Structures are given as structure tokens and as C-alpha cells.
Amino acid sequence: MLHPKDVIELIVAAVPVLILLIAAAATRRRRVILYLAACLVVCEIGFFTLRSFWIDYQVAKKTEQLNQYLRKAYPDETWMIERKTGRQYDPYHLDVTFSSEPGWIYTYSVGGEGK
């Protein structure tokens, strides 16, 4: 089953393509408009495909930033960093469990460099 965010994204992606297809049916320049619609579909597929890789790359960078911060803030401590998966969770919120407090989970939101 699709998450509501997925449904909204699909609708937003499909509307311009449908508008172009309707315009192609109503005008004489069908070939040009169909070409534009095909280019738009290829761009949208590329965007949705590359977005997950980009998020994974950003999360890896932010995890390393958080590790550096935790090493400075808690030098004698060990921890485990995880992130919640699913569309309803922000991928940039990282959950940290310290070995001295196994029942507690701390959520860090990592911003840009040094934040």
C-alpha cells in the first residue's frame, strides 16, 4: 500500500504529463508536445530513482558528522547510531543508543556542517 506522501508525489508528477498529452491531442504540433512529455517522464523517473541514492549519501555524511560530535562530547562512551526507515520518518533524524543507557534512545537532528 502506498503512503500518502507517495500518492501526492505521483499525482504532482503525473499532472504535467497529462496536461501535455491533452495539449498534444488538441493541437497540430503533436510530435513536439509528445517529445516534451516523453522528456518530462524520463526526468521524473530519473529524479525518483536518484533521490533514494542521494538521501542515503546524505545520511552517511550526517552519520559521520554525528559520530565526530559524539566522540568530542562523550569521549569515554560507546554508542550505536540507527535511523528509522519509512516514509513517515525524517531520514535525517538519527537515533543514538548509548551503551551505558541501553533503554534510552536519543534522537539527533543533524543540520549542515557543525550543526
Side-chain angles (χ1 to χ4, degrees):
M1 183 166 200
L2 290 176
H3 192 272
K5 286 182 181 179
D6 295 327
V7 173
I8 292 170
E9 288 175 351
L10 289 174
I11 290 171
V12 168
V15 166
V17 174
L18 291 175
I19 290 172
L20 285 174
L21 292 176
I22 291 169
T27 64
R28 294 182 195 173
R29 297 193 166 225
R30 287 188 181 111
R31 192 172 290 180
V32 173
I33 295 175
L34 288 174
Y35 177 75
L36 287 173
C39 288
L40 182 60
V41 168
V42 168
C43 289
E44 288 173 351
I45 290 171
F47 170 76
F48 286 115
T49 303
L50 295 176
R51 180 177 61 171
S52 62
F53 293 111
W54 177 253
I55 289 173
D56 289 342
Y57 170 72
Q58 291 296 318
V59 167
K61 279 181 32 179
K62 292 182 185 302
T63 301
E64 184 54 37
Q65 288 175 358
L66 181 58
N67 264 323
Q68 290 175 2
Y69 167 77
L70 292 174
R71 277 189 218 114
K72 290 178 186 175
Y74 308 103
D76 298 330
E77 187 69 55
T78 58
W79 55 82
M80 184 174 63
I81 298 176
E82 297 176 332
R83 77 173 171 129
K84 295 177 185 165
T85 56
R87 292 287 298 185
Q88 66 270 27
Y89 300 112
D90 186 346
Y92 304 118
H93 289 175
L94 302 172
D95 292 340
V96 177
T97 305
F98 292 96
S99 61
S100 63
E101 300 176 300
W104 289 84
I105 297 174
Y106 296 91
T107 301
Y108 287 84
S109 178
V110 183
E113 283 293 322
K115 293 186 179 180

